Amino acid sequence: MNSATVARAHGCFHVVTGAWPLVHRRSFEAVTGPKADVWLLQTVSGLLVVTGWGQIRAADADPDSARRIGVGTACTLLAIDVIYASRGRIRRVYFLDAVFQALWLTAWRRPSAS
């Protein structure tokens, strides 16, 4: 898989997962737990949508930038998932998100040049 393909796939993942709580917060919270600060949920969600859109747009024109955005976002989310799920601050389902973030890091490590 080449960098542009990884960028588009990761960008779509960010758009969809970021939009979910904006489109249907009730189902998102049913899975991830209630959120005390809705404004923070909406902020992070919006940032993920914008990040994903940026990755999609940069996929062909600037795949190195798309990779940096993807790797940085995946590292950040992975760390937050593991730290706070381990402490019981967020639900254990976030360990599943940590797995997805690790898979994205693996995908970014292996794209071919073509």
Side-chain angles (χ1 to χ4, degrees), residues 68-90:
R68 284 189 294 275
I69 292 167
V71 168
T73 304
C75 286
T76 301
L77 294 174
L78 175 63
I80 294 298
D81 291 340
V82 171
I83 291 167
Y84 289 99
S86 295
R87 294 178 181 171
R89 180 69 176 95
I90 57 178

Side-chain angles (χ1 to χ4, degrees), residues 1-111:
M1 193 177 331
N2 66 31
S3 294
T5 301
V6 175
R8 281 191 289 277
H10 198 185
C12 287
F13 180 83
H14 280 146
V15 169
V16 169
T17 58
W20 179 20
L22 297 173
V23 173
H24 202 271
R25 191 176 94 219
R26 187 176 310 181
S27 67
F28 181 80
E29 288 184 331
V31 173
T32 64
K35 306 299 181 239
D37 295 316
V38 174
W39 68 269
L40 182 58
L41 172 64
Q42 293 171 335
T43 300
V44 173
S45 296
L47 288 171
L48 283 173
V49 170
V50 171
T51 297
W53 183 245
Q55 284 180 281
I56 293 166
R57 298 281 298 164
D60 292 313
D62 193 358
D64 288 337
S65 289
R67 180 185 183 282
R68 284 189 294 275
I69 292 167
V71 168
T73 304
C75 286
T76 301
L77 294 174
L78 175 63
I80 294 298
D81 291 340
V82 171
I83 291 167
Y84 289 99
S86 295
R87 294 178 181 171
R89 180 69 176 95
I90 57 178
R91 286 192 178 172
R92 295 177 63 82
V93 71
Y94 281 94
F95 285 126
L96 179 59
D97 186 63
V99 170
F100 280 108
Q101 300 310 323
L103 291 171
W104 285 118
L105 290 171
T106 301
W108 278 115
R109 202 174 160 173
R110 300 181 188 268

